[in-house]
Amino acid sequence: MGTVSPSFSTLTLEPPESGLYFLLGNLSSPTISATPGSLIPWNESVKILCGGTPESYLYQLEILGNSTYKVVDKKLGFQKTAEFVIKHMDTNTAGRYQCRYMKQHRWSVHSEALELVVTGLYDKPSLSTDGCLVVMPGESVSLRCSSAHISFNGFSLSKEGRAVLSQHQNGGRWGDFILGPVNLSFSGIYTCYSWYSGSPYVWSAPSDALELVVTDTTNQDNTTENLIRMGMAGLPLVALLAILAENWLGHQVPHEEDQQDLRELSCSRQKTQTEWTFGLTPKGHQVDTRH
């Protein structure tokens, strides 16, 4: 696959004509983020947002090397947030980015580093578990990311497009991840990636997804208890309606077959009410959803 290298330039600072120098000041650190996310498929675009102050009139995006940085792009004009677009993600544009802004002839400090990863360079691994994907808070879940044909020394687990765990190995075809003790925030869609430590920002295609569900049985018990209370509160109304119906029927003179039908209907209704009352889940009973 052919790549187009971005046009990077080395930063050179020159004093302005007024004699003031572009000095590093004690301005607040800018923010930096990527949309739609920091994991970008091969050849797709990504937008980088650098947030400063409304008085900032120059923004600069940089990519970090081993000990230096190179300027990727600049945005001139008073604005609180500057947008930088990388149109085609590849092995040259993947890496660590930072930004800064200029205000009153002074540079701000650099933002935190933003890691952009290009995905889809290798075949997708598989993600599996030897346990259950429906668990209760406090339990742990073991996930394995494995490659069928190629040995990698890096594996990463991602939740809904964000890298959450990474690990390095001397070499192998799988990496194990232990999640837990889990809480409700662990619920979501997980995928995994494989990569080489020599190219930490170049990953495989994502694995097929697994959905983890963390269920809070306490809420289920409260819901069941509320249903029981509602049912018990409605029983007096049911009894009153039954008395009224019996008084009304008492003024009728049904035929013998009708009396037999009424007796069968009454038994059926009593049986149904009994089953409905005692068929509810008792208070304190927990439904085991772990299959």
Side-chain angles (χ1 to χ4, degrees):
M1 290 180 287
T3 61
V4 179
S5 300
S7 178
F8 294 150
S9 61
T10 304
L11 175 65
T12 302
L13 297 179
E14 297 290 344
E17 294 181 359
S18 63
L20 296 176
Y21 286 89
F22 291 74
L23 299 177
L24 178 66
N26 58 351
L27 304 177
S28 60
S29 175
T31 60
I32 188 170
S33 60
T35 181
S38 59
L39 304 181
I40 306 100
W42 173 270
N43 210 34
E44 292 193 8
S45 64
V46 61
K47 182 186 296 183
I48 300 176
L49 304 178
C50 182
T53 67
E55 297 80 19
S56 305
Y57 63 88
L58 178 63
Y59 287 84
Q60 182 166 281
L61 180 67
E62 305 159 4
I63 188 170
L64 300 173
N66 293 330
S67 57
T68 60
Y69 65 87
K70 293 182 179 181
V71 177
V72 177
D73 198 2
K74 299 178 182 179
K75 295 291 182 181
L76 184 62
F78 288 98
Q79 52 190 327
K80 185 177 181 180
T81 302
E83 297 183 357
F84 300 92
V85 178
I86 299 177
K87 295 183 178 179
H88 304 285
M89 279 296 297
D90 55 30
T91 56
N92 293 314
T93 54
R96 300 173 66 234
Y97 288 80
Q98 63 183 14
C99 71
R100 56 179 176 167
Y101 63 88
M102 184 170 284
K103 176 183 176 182
Q104 298 175 346
H105 305 296
R106 292 185 300 167
W107 281 112
S108 71
V109 296
H110 284 96
S111 67
E112 296 182 352
L114 172 68
E115 296 185 340
L116 296 185
V117 174
V118 59
T119 65
L121 273 294
Y122 318 109
D123 291 337
K124 66 180 182 180
S126 61
L127 183 63
S128 60
T129 179
D130 57 359
C132 182
L133 291 175
V134 180
V135 297
M136 293 188 297
E139 296 182 343
S140 296
V141 179
S142 176
L143 301 177
R144 169 167 290 189
C145 185
S146 58
S147 173
H149 307 292
I150 305 177
S151 294
F152 293 91
N153 57 6
F155 296 90
S156 291
L157 184 67
S158 170
K159 179 189 177 187
E160 298 171 353
R162 296 182 298 105
V164 292
L165 290 174
S166 295
Q167 64 172 246
H168 301 271
Q169 294 184 346
N170 294 329
R173 292 187 176 179
W174 67 82
D176 291 327
F177 299 91
I178 306 297
L179 302 181
V182 301
N183 53 44
L184 297 180
S185 67
F186 280 72
S187 295
I189 306 298
Y190 289 83
T191 55
C192 75
Y193 300 82
S194 53
W195 41 276
Y196 296 105
S197 59
S199 301
Y201 306 112
V202 180
W203 291 6
S204 69
S207 69
D208 292 335
L210 288 181
E211 181 176 8
L212 176 64
V213 177
V214 181
T215 177
D216 189 353
T217 55
T218 302
N219 291 337
Q220 294 178 0
D221 290 342
N222 290 338
T223 301
T224 302
E225 183 177 349
N226 291 334
L227 289 175
I228 293 176
R229 289 176 178 175
M230 291 174 61
M232 296 299 292
L235 286 179
L237 178 60
V238 174
L240 178 60
L241 292 175
I243 293 173
L244 293 176
E246 184 178 355
N247 291 335
W248 182 80
L249 291 174
H251 292 81
Q252 307 299 318
V253 185
H255 297 290
E256 188 175 350
E257 305 101 28
D258 296 334
Q259 292 179 339
Q260 179 65 26
D261 292 339
L262 288 173
R263 284 194 296 269
E264 292 177 356
L265 177 60
S266 178
C267 292
S268 176
R269 180 183 299 159
Q270 291 176 3
K271 179 180 180 183
T272 301
Q273 291 177 353
T274 303
E275 291 178 348
W276 179 82
T277 302
F278 295 98
L280 293 175
T281 306
K283 179 180 178 181
H285 178 73
Q286 296 183 353
V287 180
D288 189 357
T289 59
R290 297 171 293 173
H291 297 291

